[in-house]
């Protein structure tokens, strides 16, 4: 007999036309950020979402069937789960996403500065003012330059992974900072008016 939990697990293993919910919304948002999807982010997997998934799959050498299974989800930087308690796998996709932020935002910075960028993301996850997941923080509108300019899609190097892991293990060189910026390129008056707690490499942390 198939128990309810088994059905749930099977359902969670792939998303396709007709699916709906928060994970579909996340898929839509990511595809939209990367230019594959132009519809509304409504959490309903319709034909537009399916077309976007197929385009993404083609571009990434995946089976272009319009179904988001575990491989397509991994390419999107997501782990499909029926609940947040899937343990190890969600942690590894969080690590990969965090490493992509570090690489996109801080490659070339001193190692401590790369850990610091990852720590800011994690500090936001802990803060009640920001989304409570790593993906939510990273893809929050306008939050990170590497998302808007596409550098989030670059493949991180070992250093970026190590920096992300160190931050996830609890190293926070910023002592709780929620923001950082490069004073040479920052244009936000609000950001530039924030009291700077410390500077690491080219970034001010506040």
């Amino acid at each position: 007999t198939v128990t309810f939990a088994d059905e749930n697990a099977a359902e969670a293993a792939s998303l396709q036309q007709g699916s709906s919910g928060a994970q579909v919304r996340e898929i839509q948002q990511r595809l939209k950020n990367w230019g594959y999807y132009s519809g509304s982010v409504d959490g309903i997997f319709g034909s537009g979402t399916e077309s976007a998934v197929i385009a993404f799959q083609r571009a990434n050498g995946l089976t272009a069937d319009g179904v988001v299974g575990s491989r397509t989800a991994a390419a999107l930087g997501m782990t499909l789960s029926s609940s947040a308690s899937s343990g190890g796998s969600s942690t590894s996709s969080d690590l990969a996403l965090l490493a992509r932020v570090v690489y996109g935002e801080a490659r070339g910075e001193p190692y401590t500065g790369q850990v610091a960028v990852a720590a800011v993301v994690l500090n936001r996850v802990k803060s009640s003012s920001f989304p409570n997941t790593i993906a939510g923080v990273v893809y929050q509108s306008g939050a990170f330059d590497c998302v808007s300019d596409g550098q989030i899609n670059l493949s991180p190097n070992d250093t970026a992974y190590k920096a992300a892991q160190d931050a996830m293990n609890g190293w926070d060189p910023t002592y709780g900072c929620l923001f950082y910026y490069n004073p040479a390129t920052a244009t936000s008056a609000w950001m530039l008016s924030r009291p700077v707690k410390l500077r690491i490499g080219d970034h001010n942390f506040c």
Side-chain angles (χ1 to χ4, degrees):
T1 56
V2 177
T3 66
F4 183 65
D6 289 343
E7 274 178 12
N8 256 1
E11 197 177 299
S14 66
L15 294 164
Q16 58 213 14
Q17 193 161 351
S19 301
S20 62
Q23 290 196 311
V24 174
R25 191 175 294 119
E26 190 173 347
I27 289 166
Q28 291 171 327
Q29 187 61 59
R30 289 180 183 218
L31 291 170
K32 195 174 189 111
N33 291 343
W34 302 336
Y36 292 99
Y37 178 64
S38 55
S40 58
V41 178
D42 55 9
I44 298 162
F45 201 130
S47 57
T49 305
E50 185 177 60
S51 304
V53 168
I54 289 170
F56 175 80
Q57 288 170 326
R58 282 205 186 107
N60 288 277
L62 297 154
T63 307
D65 56 6
V67 176
V68 180
S70 55
R71 286 191 61 199
T72 299
L76 283 162
M78 295 170 60
T79 304
L80 297 182
S81 60
S82 47
S83 68
S85 63
S86 61
S89 55
S90 67
T91 317
S92 65
S93 78
D94 279 349
L95 176 65
L97 181 56
L98 199 54
R100 296 214 309 257
V101 173
V102 170
Y103 191 71
E105 293 272 319
R107 63 181 180 282
E109 289 289 304
Y111 184 69
T112 309
Q114 294 188 42
V115 177
V117 164
V120 166
V121 174
L122 297 175
N123 290 338
R124 288 188 180 190
V125 173
K126 287 183 222 143
S127 163
S128 58
S129 311
F130 292 90
N132 61 358
T133 63
I134 289 176
V137 166
V138 171
Y139 289 111
Q140 192 174 26
S141 177
F144 293 97
D145 288 342
C146 70
V147 172
S148 45
D149 66 17
Q151 292 194 55
I152 188 82
N153 299 320
L154 298 173
S155 294
N157 58 12
D158 290 347
T159 308
Y161 268 104
K162 203 161 155 285
Q165 187 66 66
D166 273 342
M168 288 178 93
N169 289 346
W171 182 18
D172 179 6
T174 76
Y175 306 104
C177 288
L178 293 172
F179 301 95
Y180 64 86
Y181 64 90
N182 181 335
T185 57
T187 52
S188 159
W190 179 84
M191 186 62 85
L192 292 167
S193 70
R194 309 277 301 167
V196 175
K197 277 198 192 169
L198 71 159
R199 183 178 172 110
I200 305 172
D202 286 338
H203 285 133
N204 285 347
F205 290 84
C206 38

